[in-house]
């Protein structure tokens, strides 16, 4: 599987690398084209060698993963790897970084990215995390958890009970609607209303 990293060098070394990569094989001797990179036992500090010059180097972790792409036709991009580390080459008199993680990213918007753009890590008790992890393992295995917070369970039950009580409240009865054509009290519901035409027939 292909692995990639970022090589960041000072401007003077960058010019020499550019010349070495652009020159043909017959234009320079093998000694001028020699490149080497070695690390010490800790795997974080090393030495970058170009020709006969030695420069200190450090392996640093990037604050975020950087994706690398390549193209064959200048149109379609193909992802090749996820880059998470950078080798920083310094001048001989420059101080070594005191952290294993590089504070800034590769571009100006990522300056001090972990503090400015990333969410802060929660301050958790390691013992509490271990207990919760053991309980989750036991629950996934089919057994019950030992470290159960009774107060939390009671609060959850109270909350469920209140929710059930609210759901059990009877709905308000609808207001009575007066009927427009209801017969008046004291009248015979079965008797047909007399109209003007009936009165005229009786008079005849």
């Amino acid at each position: 599987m292909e692995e990639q990293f970022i090589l960041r060098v000072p401007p003077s070394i960058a010019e020499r690398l550019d010349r070495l990569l652009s020159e043909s094989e017959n234009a320079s001797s093998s000694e001028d084209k020699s490149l080497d990179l070695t690390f010490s036992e800790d795997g974080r500090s090393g030495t970058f060698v170009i020709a006969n010059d030695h420069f200190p180097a450090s392996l640093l972790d990037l604050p975020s993963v950087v994706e690398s792409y390549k193209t064959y036709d200048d149109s379609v991009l193909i992802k090749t790897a996820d880059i998470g580390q950078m080798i920083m080459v310094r001048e001989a008199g420059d101080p070594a970084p005191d952290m294993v993680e590089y504070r800034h990213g590769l571009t100006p918007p990522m300056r001090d990215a972990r503090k400015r753009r990333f969410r802060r890590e929660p301050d958790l008790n390691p013992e509490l995390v271990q207990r919760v992890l053991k309980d989750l393992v036991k629950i996934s295995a089919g057994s019950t958890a030992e470290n159960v917070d009774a107060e939390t369970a009671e609060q959850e039950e109270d909350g469920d009970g209140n929710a059930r009580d609210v759901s059990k409240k009877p709905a308000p009865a609808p207001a009575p609607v007066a009927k427009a054509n209801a017969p008046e009290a004291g009248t015979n519901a079965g008797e047909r209303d007399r109209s003007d035409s009936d009165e005229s027939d009786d008079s005849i």
Side-chain angles (χ1 to χ4, degrees):
M1 187 175 181
E2 184 178 359
E3 295 183 1
Q4 299 180 7
F5 59 88
I6 301 294
L7 179 63
R8 175 166 286 185
V9 297
S12 59
I13 303 177
E15 293 176 359
R16 296 177 63 179
L17 287 175
D18 191 18
R19 286 198 303 268
L20 287 177
L21 295 176
S22 60
E23 290 177 354
S24 62
E25 296 181 358
N26 298 327
S28 59
S29 63
S30 60
E31 184 179 355
D32 295 336
K33 296 192 303 179
S34 62
L35 293 174
D36 190 15
L37 180 63
T38 58
F39 285 94
S40 59
E41 295 180 357
D42 61 356
R44 289 289 179 177
S45 59
T47 304
F48 178 74
V49 181
I50 177 172
N52 294 325
D53 298 329
H54 295 69
F55 300 93
S58 300
L59 179 64
L60 304 176
D61 297 335
L62 294 174
S64 62
V65 176
V66 179
E67 298 179 348
S68 63
Y69 295 84
K70 66 181 178 180
T71 179
Y72 296 103
D73 55 0
D74 295 333
S75 177
V76 179
L77 296 176
I78 302 173
K79 181 179 176 180
T80 57
D82 290 328
I83 304 175
Q85 290 182 321
M86 174 181 63
I87 297 177
M88 178 177 287
V89 180
R90 310 182 308 275
E91 295 287 352
D94 295 342
D98 55 352
M99 298 179 63
V100 298
E101 184 182 56
Y102 187 58
R103 181 179 178 184
H104 312 294
L106 301 178
T107 57
M110 291 295 290
R111 181 180 61 84
D112 202 3
R114 188 168 293 280
K115 183 178 179 181
R116 294 173 57 247
R117 296 183 176 274
F118 292 176
R119 183 176 60 183
R120 295 182 180 179
E121 296 181 358
D123 187 10
L124 298 177
N125 186 4
E127 297 180 358
L128 177 61
V129 174
Q130 290 293 332
R131 284 189 296 167
V132 173
L133 181 60
K134 291 180 181 178
D135 290 342
L136 291 175
V137 171
K138 290 182 179 179
I139 291 174
S140 63
S143 60
T144 58
E146 296 180 357
N147 303 314
V148 179
D149 193 352
E151 183 178 356
T152 304
E154 291 178 359
Q155 291 178 357
E156 291 179 355
E157 291 179 359
D158 295 341
D160 295 342
N162 294 335
R164 286 194 294 268
D165 293 342
V166 171
S167 62
K168 289 181 180 179
K169 285 184 178 180
V177 179
K179 294 182 179 179
N181 298 327
E184 295 180 359
T187 60
N188 189 0
E191 184 179 358
R192 186 172 60 88
D193 294 339
R194 297 176 62 88
S195 60
D196 296 339
S197 59
D198 295 339
E199 292 178 356
S200 62
D201 292 340
D202 291 342
S203 61
I204 293 175

